[in-house]
Amino acid sequence: MNNNVADILIEALPYIKRFSGKTIVVKYGGHAMKDENLKKDFANDITLLKYIGVNPVVVHGGGPQINKVLDSMGITSRFIRGMRYTDDETMDVVEMVLGGKVNKDIVARINRQGGKAVGLTGKDGMLITAKKMTIYHQEDENKPPEIIDPGMVGDVSGINPDIIHTLTDKGFIPVIAPVGVGKNGETYNINADVVASKIASALKAERLILLTDVDGVLDKDKKLVSSVDAANIKEMIETDGIKGGMIPKVECALDALRNSVKKAHIINGKLPHAVLLELFTDSGIGTQVFLN
């Protein structure tokens, strides 16, 4: 047993050296945010990264938690092409849950493990500026596209990383809720994968890690694809090898890679210590995404 532990540590050593002083952005969401043991594992992983010299930055989701509060208030959740329709009342709940309950719970868990986490939303220090999203949907090429209004759902228009740099330089771990601010001070609900990708790009991060509820990119036989490049992703999307909710994730990964991020990873957050296993083992556990 001791030899096995030593082998694991020796295997991890070159990766620890490689990532020391580097920034790693982790999008935290899915089942990993609901299971108590996985919550503790995640907090331990993030704290350990900071202690060994890595600068982790956490961007989190919170869809199930938002649904729970909306249900308790008798507000029906509506989704338009996978995005939550966000009117003013829903936006109040989104901001309260993401920026309050969910964010502060993650911060508290990391701090209990010995980390120094600080919770932020995109409004803090004008971290995330946003613009209203408009959805264009065209079912028939012979008809004009339908314009869909999703409410206060936003696209990222800019990232100001100064507050993140200030915190990481002082030894803190930023934990960021995906809420942005418009040019007139309005609040926007933004997809957490998109926010993580844009923040990773702005920070020129060494890695972007997207936690999800599947093992990663799967081929037609449902087997894990351990490594995939942009050309293969395009082909797999065209042949339905990559479909559904995995498409926007690989698109976020590619967007980050085209904007200074070294590599991106899509991994199963349901596995204990998923972040450490992906970063510090030779084989990893999920899909590594890279450009040609």
Side-chain angles (χ1 to χ4, degrees):
M1 181 66 179
N2 288 337
N3 287 338
N4 289 339
V5 173
D7 289 342
I8 292 169
L9 293 172
I10 290 169
E11 182 180 339
L13 179 59
Y15 298 102
I16 293 172
K17 291 166 66 177
R18 179 187 303 172
F19 295 131
S20 181
K22 307 290 183 160
T23 296
I24 293 175
V25 176
V26 183
K27 186 269 179 165
Y28 178 42
H31 189 78
M33 289 183 67
K34 295 185 283 185
D35 182 279
E36 285 299 319
N37 290 327
L38 292 175
K39 287 180 182 181
K40 185 175 180 179
D41 287 344
F42 180 80
N44 274 321
D45 289 1
I46 296 300
T47 302
L48 177 60
L49 289 177
K50 193 67 177 180
Y51 269 95
I52 62 175
V54 180
N55 290 320
V57 176
V58 178
V59 178
H60 65 84
Q65 293 88 341
I66 293 169
N67 288 340
K68 184 176 180 180
V69 175
L70 288 173
D71 289 344
S72 71
M73 297 173 65
I75 302 172
T76 302
S77 296
R78 291 171 52 202
F79 291 88
I80 301 172
R81 298 185 64 78
M83 287 175 288
R84 184 187 303 277
Y85 176 77
T86 309
D87 57 16
D88 290 341
E89 189 175 25
T90 302
M91 188 66 244
D92 287 342
V93 173
V94 168
E95 187 170 17
M96 174 183 71
V97 174
L98 290 181
K101 179 175 173 47
V102 174
N103 187 275
K104 301 314 175 190
D105 179 66
I106 298 168
V107 166
R109 288 176 183 275
I110 293 173
N111 290 344
R112 281 201 297 272
Q113 302 308 317
K116 295 194 298 181
V118 175
L120 303 167
T121 76
K123 287 182 167 184
D124 294 308
M126 296 293 287
L127 170 58
I128 305 169
T129 51
K131 59 185 178 181
K132 183 178 174 62
M133 176 185 289
T134 301
I135 303 170
Y136 297 92
H137 176 56
Q138 188 171 16
E139 289 188 357
D140 187 336
E141 63 181 15
N142 297 316
K143 295 180 180 178
E146 178 186 4
I147 300 174
I148 303 172
D149 181 2
M152 300 305 291
V153 176
D155 275 325
V156 174
S157 57
I159 300 290
N160 177 7
D162 290 350
I163 190 170
I164 297 176
H165 288 310
T166 299
L167 289 170
T168 56
D169 289 348
K170 296 294 185 181
F172 293 99
I173 300 168
V175 178
I176 302 166
V179 174
V181 59
K183 62 180 181 179
N184 296 314
E186 62 273 39
T187 306
Y188 287 105
N189 179 20
I190 311 175
N191 178 277
D193 289 336
V194 172
V195 169
S197 173
K198 297 297 186 183
I199 286 177
S201 298
L203 295 173
K204 296 180 171 54
E206 185 74 12
R207 293 288 190 271
L208 167 65
I209 300 178
L210 303 175
L211 269 64
T212 183
D213 284 343
V214 296
D215 289 337
V217 174
L218 307 179
D219 64 18
K220 287 185 176 181
D221 297 322
K222 305 298 183 185
K223 292 182 179 178
L224 177 68
V225 179
S226 61
S227 187
V228 64
D229 64 16
N232 288 330
I233 286 172
K234 184 175 184 294
E235 180 182 349
M236 290 179 75
I237 290 174
E238 290 172 349
T239 59
D240 278 344
I242 296 176
K243 55 187 176 180
M246 187 55 69
I247 293 176
K249 289 188 181 298
V250 296
E251 288 177 341
C252 284
L254 290 176
D255 182 65
L257 294 172
R258 294 185 182 112
N259 290 280
S260 302
V261 176
K262 297 292 178 59
K263 286 183 181 177
H265 305 257
I266 300 172
I267 68 174
N268 191 343
K270 294 188 292 185
L271 299 175
H273 302 293
V275 173
L276 298 184
L277 290 171
E278 180 66 13
L279 288 175
F280 297 140
T281 63
D282 294 335
S283 58
I285 59 166
T287 299
Q288 179 176 272
V289 184
F290 60 97
L291 295 179
N292 295 9

